[in-house]
Amino acid sequence: NAGVMQNPRHLVRRRGQEARLRCSPMKGHSHVYWYRQLPEEGLKFMVYLQKENIIDESGMPKERFSAEFPKEGPSILRIQQVVRGDSAAYFCASSPRQGRSGANVLTFGAGSRLTVL
Amino acid sequence: AQKITQTQPGMFVQEKEAVTLDCTYDTSDQSYGLFWYKQPSSGEMIFLIYQGSYDEQNATEGRYSLNFQKARKSANLVISASQLGDSAMYFCAMLMEGRDDKIIFGKGTRLHILP
């Protein structure tokens, strides 16, 4: 039973390019959270999705950032026209929503580290 | 506004001593959950312990216990008999069941265990 899979683990982009980060949730998990972590800082909530529906995107910047979780395939966090300030680790976590208890409420992927040159 | 506050940016503790990492939270919801995660230098997020707002007993997981004081809105993590491998960042988090299960994190405490 694979955990939460994020790819790529490391991504380098030049300013103005697009970054696409993918997250496949744990089997049986219907909900996905995305967080951003700047160096030596905490995890900042970005967006929370279920299949084909954004539940809460209050942490997403209004421009250049978008997220989706299609019926088939992974959740994708897309950053258009990247700037140096977008350099961070982006963590995805998944949740079963039903039958949550303790450790299984939120399972994290290993993170995707974006570097913008 | 919903918020998690960790007031200790860094701590140094002697090996084998007990450690208390502070966490206070702010929510008007009646039903919520509180977590602690460990992030070692390798970067992964490791679940440590969970406490539901209606749980009457404080949660314990091995050397970890959560000192839950609901009236004070605090959920401190206690690590007994600290080990060198406990050196890491520690994050407190809150699941807000009244807000579609949004989960927010504090800024973290960096714990250094000294030999």
Side-chain angles (χ1 to χ4, degrees), chain B residues 62-73:
Chain B
R63 293 186 301 113
Y64 304 108
S65 60
L66 199 152
N67 184 2
F68 182 43
Q69 297 191 27
K70 198 169 182 177
R72 292 187 178 182
K73 294 191 174 177

Side-chain angles (χ1 to χ4, degrees), chain A residues 32-81:
Chain A
V32 165
Y33 297 77
W34 283 95
Y35 295 88
R36 176 163 67 177
Q37 185 179 31
L38 295 171
E40 297 301 312
E41 292 193 13
L43 280 83
K44 182 174 181 295
F45 171 82
M46 298 183 76
V47 64
Y48 169 38
L49 314 99
Q50 64 182 109
K51 291 272 186 188
E52 300 184 286
N53 184 33
I54 295 174
I55 301 172
D56 186 330
E57 57 179 349
S58 56
M60 289 277 274
K62 293 285 185 282
E63 297 177 353
R64 303 187 298 108
F65 285 72
S66 63
E68 63 176 6
F69 189 13
K71 189 176 179 182
E72 301 291 338
S75 175
I76 295 175
L77 180 67
R78 182 181 177 208
I79 311 172
Q80 295 178 287
Q81 298 177 313

Side-chain angles (χ1 to χ4, degrees), chain A residues 9 31 33 35 37 40-45 48 55-56 58-59 91 95 97 100-110 113, chain B residues 35 37 39 41-47 49-51 61 89 91 93-95 97 99-108 110:
Chain A
R9 291 291 309 277
H31 289 63
Y33 297 77
Y35 295 88
Q37 185 179 31
E40 297 301 312
E41 292 193 13
L43 280 83
K44 182 174 181 295
F45 171 82
Y48 169 38
I55 301 172
D56 186 330
S58 56
F91 284 92
S95 172
R97 184 65 174 91
R100 300 171 313 213
S101 65
N104 83 337
V105 173
L106 198 64
T107 304
F108 276 88
R113 277 147 186 86
Chain B
F35 307 75
Y37 284 84
Q39 187 180 42
S41 56
S42 51
E44 73 266 36
M45 294 291 289
I46 302 169
F47 168 82
I49 198 164
Y50 172 83
Q51 177 91 38
E61 292 281 353
M89 279 288 281
F91 293 103
M94 178 167 62
L95 162 70
E97 294 183 6
R99 308 206 181 253
D100 291 323
D101 294 341
K102 184 175 178 178
I103 300 176
I104 59 172
F105 283 76
K107 294 193 174 199
R110 181 166 292 284

Side-chain angles (χ1 to χ4, degrees), chain A residues 10-34:
Chain A
H10 300 275
L11 181 64
V12 179
R13 285 286 177 264
R14 296 192 181 279
R15 280 180 295 170
Q17 291 184 319
E18 178 179 289
R20 283 194 181 216
L21 309 176
R22 288 177 290 278
C23 170
S24 296
M26 268 187 84
K27 189 177 178 181
H29 285 195
S30 55
H31 289 63
V32 165
Y33 297 77
W34 283 95

